[in-house]
Amino acid sequence: MDLEKLFRPKSMAVVGISKKNPLSPGRIVLLKNEFEMDVDVYGIYPSGGEIEGIKLYERLDKLPIIPDLLVIAVGPDDTLEYIKECGDLGIPTSVIIGGGFAEIGGKGKKRQEQLEKIAFENDIAVLGPNCLGVYAPPIVDTIFLPTERITRPPKGSVALISQSGGVLVDQFFVKFNERNIGVSTAVSIGNRAVVDEVMLLEYFSQVDQETSNIAFYLEGFKEGKAREFLQKAKESEDTVIVYFGGKTREGKVATQSHTASLAGNYKIIYNALRQHLVIQPHSERELLTSLKVYDVLSQRRNPFKNNVVTYGNVAIVSVSGGHAVLASDMLKKYGLNAVRFSPQEKRDLKGFMNPTAQEIASFNNPIDLTGSVLDTDIEDVIRYLSSIERIECIILLLLPYPPNISFQIGRRIANIVLSKNKPTVCFVPYVSKYSIIIESLELANIPVFHSIKETVQAVSALKHRTRVNNIKKGNYSWE
Amino acid sequence: MDLEKLFRPKSMAVVGISKKNPLSPGRIVLLKNEFEMDVDVYGIYPSGGEIEGIKLYERLDKLPIIPDLLVIAVGPDDTLEYIKECGDLGIPTSVIIGGGFAEIGGKGKKRQEQLEKIAFENDIAVLGPNCLGVYAPPIVDTIFLPTERITRPPKGSVALISQSGGVLVDQFFVKFNERNIGVSTAVSIGNRAVVDEVMLLEYFSQVDQETSNIAFYLEGFKEGKAREFLQKAKESEDTVIVYFGGKTREGKVATQSHTASLAGNYKIIYNALRQHLVIQPHSERELLTSLKVYDVLSQRRNPFKNNVVTYGNVAIVSVSGGHAVLASDMLKKYGLNAVRFSPQEKRDLKGFMNPTAQEIASFNNPIDLTGSVLDTDIEDVIRYLSSIERIECIILLLLPYPPNISFQIGRRIANIVLSKNKPTVCFVPYVSKYSIIIESLELANIPVFHSIKETVQAVSALKHRTRVNNIKKGNYSWE
């Protein structure tokens, strides 16, 4: 199946347009692609005519071309007719927005079986039914919600595949945007009657050049597909991340894994995924944190060029004692350790400080520079720590409340990180007046978080990726 | 000790002002109180003179009045001299900003013992040392960080007491502001040499009229004070919430409780606190969620007048199936249950819907109204559910992405809640274009959350409070 034409179509047609209701799904999809996206768009309407200056064709076979993609926004029985027509005309891909299939059981289930039969016989890559479809900027967007109502995430390296459309546009788009995580293609798979997680994993791993990280939000594997998924995940050159949402984790995962001949409890699934080098965040927040750092590592201007966090050895630098303690407390949970400084290193560190801070700062790791700190103290400390080889990553808890920290501090730190390439993750409070500090760091692709927990999670994510990369490169295989 | 004069001083003096350094802590405190707060401010400077038009007095005994409060921002040995002088002159309260006491061990510990002796002998309410002190709007603010750098929380019903100053101004002030949680007084207790959690609990319970909720962020109880704290918590008419941060929870709590003759593990402390009607959130986020709903319940215009959430019986209303599932999954963890609807109730609910949504919406609880929903459907459903007595609380997951939901929906829901007084908590995505919906609800004091988890936590918080209130009122005593 030609998924390339599903995600990067040159042309698309839309059926299910209402002339009366400007908010009908088909009409929204028609107009948003015509006015906002790069794909060539054709509308189908039984009596022809036009909408907002777009000519409407009476039938699919009256179109001047064979479109790469057909978006179907009609009832379930008519949907089947259109899929048949795709087969007849040679339309290679389709997004089915509407429901009325397996999710309603009974006759819906039969309909879905018919749908699968037609699609596989005619080699049509059908996405859905019962889904939002594809968001692949700048080419195509089949999400039938008005663009001005949803939040579009920035462009980037993450292919995002979700079993729930609502979770995709709300939980992910909103939070990707907040965190500045970039998406290559977002896919709502709905009932995944034809195109499923295995095909998508294969496509984004092997075909799509824009994607470096493939993230799945699933409520369970498709029946019988778990083994194949695991195998493809292990072979993928991209970083594969799977998060099971909802009750799925212990519930549906277990069920699905059973039919896929894996033992029926989550621990076994967890271990199987781990062995197959799939990264599994423990929460939705950790998923977002991981994607943020992986997206950064995929940038051409990756600030952590020599990123290897094998053991999780970190140095924590804070200007607040309480924050340093909270961060330290979390290290163990995330498999990280604070390196120990030698007496000479402590003396060196102390030597960098201004006289006032020198008296009260502590250098045990966590390093507490205190509220008496100056920009130059922070700079010198970060530069020094960057040169210590056994420190794999620096956690900088940067609270700009002390009066002597300047608003240039973000740029100053960015310059050091970019010259030293030591992985450095920063906490900066999410307060609009500090946006210049946050932006200075993020413009240099240095990830900034707004909770201590996420900052620590980020290092853990770097460690997971180092492990996966080492095994994939055959460097070693440790568990 | 007269804590009223510490938190509501009519006059204050500041020692430790630098004429050279505009960012010295003493100078910042002097100026921010003079220019931003209501208290009368006097500065002390050995050679007199003035700063920014404020006359400086050479010594404390040269002041024209005896101030209610002395803020001390000098080194530790000089600090002791000033505390002695407070005793001599009859200054009843003091905030000691600087460190050099018990936290550095050795001679610092001895200094702190001296400090305690003088303070108790002379009945001086000393806050600190090694603290940020008091933020009691609009009267006094001893936080030595520039106001323009920190985020001040709104005014409200919560007395907030923190063992860490950094955590207070960053984790709490920032997040109280984001969530619109109101503070009556915020206190950074530092080494709590004299004024401790027991005195503060007593003061805010019995004296302060502005406080209805007393929240503690502690790293452990003060040695020997656990029992007294528990007793006072049980007697308090306010809602008492304690959150142990950092390693404390299993670590320091255990130590402190040992010396307080309580068995040395967290589970026992947890149960003791529970028995003494202290509410204990499981995470910092849950603490914030609880305070948000308790602050709302303390408002004169409390929208949930007949708030009784005894069993945790909820109805979930969503416009996204995925969100409904995620919320349902969390109910059990938080001790809540989805009520079952009778066939008649389901028919009634279905009857409210527009024809399109009627076909696809589901009414099992969670109710999924689907993306085809209209404002009037939501209104009718909420009004109907509000009239069902066995539903104690409604969880409304309001995603305004579907095109037919209007931007008046917040106000429309608010009107129903205000007329029915059924506790209703809402999820609305945290996206600036939806601020009109969020504000419509919050202006009516209906709490809005931006994560599904926090929305569910909010109902759990209401249930905890119902339990505590019932026992305090002697209605019954169930565990």
Side-chain angles (χ1 to χ4, degrees), chain A residues 52-66:
Chain A
E52 310 270 9
I54 306 167
K55 178 176 157 56
L56 299 173
Y57 295 82
E58 288 162 28
R59 295 195 313 271
L60 279 175
D61 62 7
K62 296 252 183 171
L63 289 174
I65 51 129
I66 303 295

Side-chain angles (χ1 to χ4, degrees), chain A residues 23 146 148-151 166 170 174 217 246-247 323 326 329 399-405 407 427 429 431 433-434, chain B residues 23 148-151 166 170-171 174 217 246-247 323 326 329 399-405 407 427 429 431 433-434:
Chain A
L23 298 176
E148 68 279 9
R149 289 201 175 229
I150 66 170
T151 300
D170 186 54
V174 171
Y217 181 82
K247 66 177 67 165
H323 287 65
L326 289 173
D329 282 343
L399 291 86
Y401 309 124
N404 291 307
I405 295 179
F407 279 61
F427 164 89
V431 177
K433 58 192 161 193
Y434 295 131
Chain B
L23 298 175
E148 68 279 9
R149 289 202 175 227
I150 66 171
T151 301
D170 185 56
Q171 303 295 85
V174 170
Y217 180 82
K247 64 179 66 167
H323 287 66
L326 289 173
D329 282 343
L399 290 86
Y401 309 124
N404 291 308
I405 294 180
F407 280 60
F427 165 89
V431 177
K433 59 192 162 195
Y434 295 130

Side-chain angles (χ1 to χ4, degrees), chain B residues 12-36:
Chain B
M12 70 185 271
V14 182
V15 299
I17 297 160
S18 165
K19 282 194 179 174
K20 283 187 209 147
N21 177 7
L23 298 175
S24 76
R27 183 152 159 186
I28 288 174
V29 172
L30 177 83
L31 292 173
K32 76 155 64 171
N33 281 281
E34 173 73 13
F35 295 143
E36 299 166 27

Side-chain angles (χ1 to χ4, degrees), chain B residues 73-149:
Chain B
V74 297
D77 290 321
D78 290 340
T79 294
L80 285 180
E81 293 306 313
Y82 275 113
I83 291 295
K84 275 182 206 153
E85 220 178 324
C86 285
D88 296 342
L89 295 171
I91 298 175
T93 80
S94 178
V95 169
I96 302 177
I97 291 175
F101 292 85
E103 84 283 3
I104 64 161
K107 70 179 172 189
K109 219 170 157 189
K110 283 205 182 113
R111 271 193 205 116
Q112 188 156 323
E113 282 163 14
Q114 276 180 277
L115 170 67
E116 287 170 28
K117 193 163 175 287
I118 306 167
F120 282 110
E121 277 177 10
N122 292 279
D123 199 36
I124 308 165
V126 173
L127 197 59
N130 189 25
C131 74
L132 293 178
V134 182
Y135 171 62
I139 297 168
V140 62
D141 178 359
T142 73
I143 297 172
F144 65 83
L145 304 165
T147 308
E148 68 279 9
R149 289 202 175 227

Side-chain angles (χ1 to χ4, degrees), chain B residues 413-426:
Chain B
I413 291 162
N415 292 341
I416 297 167
V417 176
L418 294 175
S419 73
K420 296 282 190 177
N421 298 131
K422 177 76 77 181
T424 303
V425 294
C426 299

